[in-house]
Amino acid sequence: MSVEPLRLMHVHAHPDDESSKGAATTAKYVAEGVDVHVVTCTGGERGDVLNPKIDPATIEDIQAVRRAEMDAAREILGVKQDWLGFVDSGWPDGDPKPPLPEGCFALVPVEEAAEPLVRLIRTFRPHVMTTYDERGGYPHPDHIACHLVSMEAFRAAADPERYPDAGEPWQVAKLYFHHTFNRPRAVAISEAMEAAGLASPYADRLKEWEPDPAWDARITTRVPCAEWFETRDRALLAHATQIDPDGFWFAVPMEVQQATWPHEDYELVESHVPTELPETDLFAGLRDGVWEG
Ligand SMILES: [Zn+2]
């Protein structure tokens, strides 16, 4: 048995992403005694107010509001959290898309943006790290940048020749991509909703969402966490400006979610410990020994 607690680091683009992707997994591992550290690349300064019950005109300092929301979500999830301190790139609206705002996260060179993350990895020394896939999970420029910066930092943190002033090298044992919003899940939940005589919030989305079996086959790991969906929802609601409590996110009854898709899904991208696929635990291969990094 490992003497030290297991450590998990999630790297996310904005405050609220830690609550919409993998949050039930987080709550489950925290309850088990795993040390979970969320890294948030940007302050979410350019996020729109998405909750119709909040009048954007009443918000003077969106950055302060989003920090307070993150504090509340952090408490609910029971995690540590750090900001990398980059500025939200915003969602480029228009055709053609407008240029990204000067100084934003997505314009910072990857090598420069990765430095503070390398430092955090070498300090926290996670056994497992998660980030987004190369498409960003959803094509926000900050999500793509989060992927690139995470990959750079994951590799560089273990290399004594890279970022020599950012701490002692640390090899993260396993790296995962989130696949929370996969098509098979949307199909299964849609079918369950229709069978229950309810309208599926995924119906429109699925009309345009072409099957992509090769993409879906990338899922290697399903972490059972239905018991923690309510904690996930409370954390998400803490980001009050970003979430419509009567909207899409909460349109599927809890029982339907728990019965239909009682896990969160991941892709194992790199492992330095032996493990057998498919997995049901991000720490598979790490439970019986001491990982020295
Ligand atoms: Zn985001």
Side-chain angles (χ1 to χ4, degrees):
M1 277 297 288
S2 173
V3 185
E4 295 188 336
L6 291 166
R7 295 179 296 270
L8 169 62
M9 177 181 275
H10 295 301
V11 188
H12 285 292
H14 307 109
D16 76 359
D17 286 319
E18 84 296 328
S19 297
S20 61
K21 288 165 270 296
T25 306
T26 293
K28 171 197 166 110
Y29 283 129
V30 166
E32 268 183 23
V34 174
D35 212 350
V36 183
H37 196 133
V38 168
V39 178
T40 314
C41 297
T42 79
E45 302 86 348
R46 289 196 171 90
D48 293 326
V49 173
L50 301 173
N51 183 346
K53 292 178 186 66
I54 296 177
D55 175 3
T58 62
I59 296 176
E60 279 176 27
D61 182 349
I62 185 71
Q63 194 176 13
V65 169
R66 296 205 67 179
R67 278 185 173 262
E69 291 175 347
M70 184 66 233
D71 287 346
R74 191 186 63 217
E75 289 292 314
I76 292 163
L77 292 173
V79 298
K80 297 193 180 83
Q81 187 254 348
D82 269 297
W83 303 92
L84 284 194
F86 295 105
V87 178
D88 192 336
S89 306
W91 176 257
D93 236 343
D95 188 16
K97 288 182 187 301
L100 292 170
E102 204 180 319
C104 73
F105 177 48
L107 292 179
V108 178
V110 169
E111 206 165 313
E112 185 185 325
E115 203 265 354
L117 183 55
V118 168
R119 196 176 292 278
L120 287 174
I121 291 170
R122 288 177 177 173
T123 308
F124 180 63
R125 304 190 302 150
H127 300 93
V128 172
M129 182 171 152
T130 74
T131 186
Y132 310 143
D133 61 65
E134 66 278 13
R135 298 180 188 172
Y138 121 93
H140 191 295
D142 288 332
H143 285 233
I144 309 282
C146 178
H147 164 78
L148 295 171
V149 167
S150 300
M151 296 307 289
E152 163 77 359
F154 170 80
R155 295 201 175 107
D159 183 346
E161 296 186 359
R162 306 287 314 283
Y163 306 90
D165 302 325
E168 292 295 311
W170 177 259
Q171 175 66 64
V172 181
K174 297 174 91 179
L175 175 71
Y176 288 91
F177 292 159
H178 289 274
H179 279 258
T180 309
F181 305 111
N182 55 75
R183 192 177 180 283
R185 174 180 180 274
V187 169
I189 288 188
S190 261
E191 287 172 358
M193 290 289 278
E194 279 152 30
L198 299 165
S200 165
Y202 297 106
D204 285 344
R205 176 85 180 82
L206 280 169
K207 279 182 203 146
E208 291 155 19
W209 199 348
E210 296 293 330
D212 187 351
W215 183 264
D216 300 334
R218 286 173 52 166
I219 293 170
T220 57
T221 310
R222 300 190 191 282
V223 178
C225 52
E227 209 188 313
W228 303 100
F229 286 176
E230 282 172 10
T231 311
R232 172 204 64 195
D233 285 358
R234 278 193 292 121
L236 202 48
L237 285 166
H239 293 282
T241 59
Q242 301 303 303
I243 291 292
D244 176 358
D246 301 317
F248 172 83
W249 288 97
F250 303 101
V252 180
M254 184 56 75
E255 316 78 70
V256 174
Q257 296 182 49
Q258 288 174 324
T260 311
W261 209 265
H263 40 80
E264 289 177 333
D265 306 328
Y266 298 86
E267 172 184 358
L268 177 62
V269 181
E270 191 168 319
S271 181
H272 295 265
V273 290
T275 184
E276 220 172 281
L277 302 181
E279 303 173 312
T280 55
D281 178 15
L282 302 183
F283 294 99
L286 284 157
R287 298 260 176 199
D288 306 319
V290 179
W291 177 249
E292 304 281 359

